[in-house]
Amino acid sequence: MFALVDGNNFYVSCERAFRPALVGRPVVVLSNNDGCAIARSNEAKDLGIKMGAPYFQIKHLEYTSDLVALSANFALYGDMSERMMSLAAGLGPEQEIYSIDESFIGLQGVRDVTRRAWAIRERIARGVGIPCGIGIGPTKTLAKLANHIAKDAERKPGSYPAHLARVCNLSEMPPAELAALLQATHVGDIWGIGRRISKQLNEAGIANVWQLTQADLGTIRRRWSVVLERTVRELRGESCIALEDEPPPKQMIACTRSFGRPVEDLAPLIEAVSEYASRASEKLRRQGGVAGQVQVFAHTSPFRPGPRYSRAILVPLLRPTADTALIVRSAIKGITRIYEPGYQLIKAGVILLDISDRAIVQEELDLGDDGKDRSALYGALDKLNQRYGKGTVHVASTGIDSDSARWGMKQERRTPRYTTNIDDIPIARC
């Protein structure tokens, strides 16, 4: 048995936890550089604002519909997520954190699951101020479906029975009621079925989930894939996807950003690339890996007038490493090689490739070059940055103050980092 705990409109809910005046108003959270909407409150959805809508297209709603647009505050969201996940873990003995706002809970041995789910939901709302939907089912796919029903029954009255709002347990449902729910749910709402597969299923006469569960498994495998067959088995109640205690290590680590303003000169470009390479190296060390190659790229905006530029280069490392200095040095070498003056660059990035486990790196002869193991040094630097904030200690080529640099992100509407920066804690005077 599984449960899925999912924070409603998570980024917006984090903002509302510290600014109750936003409750009931349409709110959107914007992406890096305040480009487009990446989270919407229910009121913003009712205004017709789509996910990914460019800010300049919805800006007028601030004057006509009381819309509030905020810059993304990822430091706040990450910390609030950790707090919510720690409370959600009380629902069962196992937990898989699936994303920043979702976690699967293994419920084996848990009694009176529905009552306990309501209690955990209340504990999360009281403890961190995040409203949640909780779906429960005998498989992860059914738990995900139950969560979809719980959220839609609350947000769209009439779409599903009202008693299923907020917490929905499919395992306790009579067969007739479960069949009616599956018939009322479109196949495109199922976890793992995208638009293309949904369209193909519709063309094959499979429009709702009930019809999908009745389909022949052999036909599903031959015409689509074994992955879709596994989804159908899960919808039938056969558990095929287990909980993952830890996410698998990434085969590629990328750190890319759009600049706050176009960059033309090499010096700020080197600062940006150094910063991205440092962050990617830290992520690499966190998963215990080493990289064999560094890819660097930069390009102009496809939407701005002027000459176009887009180049990338692959820089092999002498030996696989997670050493920030070596990776930054390679990234600088790459960006210097591909740089050409006269272009207004809007984005650059660093991608670490050929990643392997640090424990299985092949030994080699000492050739007298710079092959010192500085993992202890970088371990200490990582701890300093985790304790005192990102970028507290950094390589010199990133510049003295990256936040105010020309290439830094534009976050004109960011709220205070209430939970991670002591200077941002509100002061009450009476």
Side-chain angles (χ1 to χ4, degrees):
M1 189 73 72
F2 300 89
L4 177 67
V5 182
D6 183 7
N8 296 346
N9 308 322
F10 185 71
Y11 293 171
V12 172
S13 296
C14 290
E15 300 286 354
R16 283 175 167 173
F18 293 90
R19 296 177 61 184
L22 296 178
V23 176
R25 295 179 63 182
V27 180
V28 295
V29 173
L30 303 173
S31 61
N32 291 337
N33 294 311
D34 297 345
C36 60
I38 56 173
R40 306 158 295 160
S41 66
N42 291 339
E43 296 80 4
K45 293 174 185 175
D46 293 340
L47 288 177
I49 298 174
K50 303 294 184 186
M51 185 65 90
Y55 174 55
F56 72 88
Q57 291 184 357
I58 59 177
K59 187 176 181 179
H60 65 281
L61 295 175
E62 293 179 320
Y63 308 102
T64 60
S65 304
D66 201 24
L67 175 68
V68 178
L70 300 171
S71 301
N73 189 343
F74 291 115
L76 173 67
Y77 308 151
D79 187 71
M80 293 289 281
S81 172
E82 287 185 17
R83 294 166 190 248
M84 187 186 89
M85 296 306 175
S86 67
L87 295 172
L91 184 54
E94 297 177 286
Q95 182 181 35
E96 174 193 337
I97 298 177
Y98 182 65
S99 65
I100 193 169
D101 60 343
E102 291 178 284
S103 73
F104 285 102
I105 308 291
L107 298 174
Q108 187 171 9
V110 178
R111 297 179 180 177
D112 201 359
V113 172
T114 304
R115 184 194 61 78
R116 191 176 177 86
W118 277 104
I120 290 294
R121 186 183 183 280
E122 174 61 27
R123 188 180 300 174
I124 293 173
R126 191 172 59 250
V128 293
I130 304 293
C132 293
I134 299 181
I136 301 167
T139 68
K140 289 174 76 174
T141 302
L142 284 172
K144 188 87 173 172
L145 172 61
N147 183 267
H148 165 79
I149 293 171
K151 295 176 79 171
D152 266 18
E154 180 182 15
R155 192 172 75 84
K156 303 175 184 175
S159 58
Y160 292 105
H163 70 276
L164 300 178
R166 301 182 184 90
V167 175
C168 174
N169 187 349
L170 294 182
S171 65
E172 293 180 344
M173 205 163 285
E177 186 178 1
L178 178 60
L181 285 176
L182 298 182
Q183 289 169 358
T185 305
H186 189 264
V187 289
D189 293 329
I190 295 300
W191 185 34
I193 297 183
R195 288 184 183 176
R196 184 176 60 84
I197 301 295
S198 174
K199 183 179 179 183
Q200 291 174 1
L201 289 170
N202 290 340
E203 290 171 352
I206 301 174
N208 60 52
V209 180
W210 172 257
Q211 292 170 329
L212 183 60
T213 60
Q214 303 305 306
D216 177 66
L217 291 176
T219 303
I220 292 292
R221 175 185 286 189
R222 283 194 303 275
R223 186 164 178 180
W224 285 279
S225 67
V226 69
V227 176
L228 186 59
E229 179 196 351
R230 186 181 65 180
T231 298
V232 176
R233 289 183 183 276
E234 284 248 319
L235 289 170
R236 291 180 177 182
E238 179 184 345
S239 182
C240 304
I241 308 174
L243 286 178
E244 294 179 357
D245 295 334
E246 293 184 6
K250 295 180 178 177
Q251 300 300 308
M252 178 186 79
I253 294 177
C255 186
T256 70
R257 298 283 188 278
S258 295
F259 302 138
R261 290 173 290 173
V263 168
E264 296 183 47
D265 302 324
L266 180 59
L269 199 57
I270 287 177
E271 286 187 4
V273 166
S274 299
E275 171 73 12
Y276 304 158
S278 300
R279 293 190 184 183
S281 303
E282 190 174 338
K283 292 179 182 176
L284 181 63
R285 288 193 292 275
R286 203 177 302 151
Q287 74 169 36
V290 288
Q293 302 185 73
V294 179
Q295 185 178 35
V296 188
F297 72 86
H299 61 74
T300 55
S301 170
F303 306 106
R304 290 174 178 266
R308 300 288 175 84
Y309 171 93
S310 178
R311 286 196 64 184
I313 188 170
L314 197 62
V315 184
L317 295 161
L318 182 61
R319 59 176 61 83
T321 183
D323 188 312
T324 294
L326 298 178
I327 291 174
V328 168
R329 191 184 305 165
S330 299
I332 293 176
K333 188 186 297 182
I335 198 67
T336 305
R337 185 81 176 271
I338 64 174
Y339 170 74
E340 291 181 24
Y343 295 98
Q344 291 196 328
L345 302 172
I346 195 65
K347 187 173 185 177
V350 173
I351 304 172
L352 304 184
L353 302 167
D354 193 13
I355 292 176
S356 56
D357 193 315
R358 181 183 181 82
I360 57 174
V361 172
Q362 184 176 351
E363 298 295 335
E364 59 183 33
L365 293 174
D366 183 3
L367 302 177
D369 53 9
D370 185 14
K372 293 181 181 176
D373 181 4
R374 295 188 285 198
S375 55
L377 168 65
Y378 287 111
L381 297 184
D382 291 345
K383 287 181 180 176
L384 285 172
N385 286 329
Q386 289 168 10
R387 180 170 182 178
Y388 296 106
K390 192 178 296 180
T392 300
V393 183
H394 57 86
V395 297
S397 57
T398 60
I400 296 175
D401 187 2
S402 59
D403 287 341
S404 62
R406 182 180 182 85
W407 52 271
M409 281 195 302
K410 186 167 66 176
Q411 291 183 302
E412 297 173 346
R413 299 160 174 269
R414 184 177 59 76
T415 51
R417 289 164 285 199
Y418 300 105
T419 59
T420 58
N421 190 328
I422 195 167
D423 295 329
D424 287 356
I425 295 177
I427 299 174
R429 294 186 174 86
C430 58

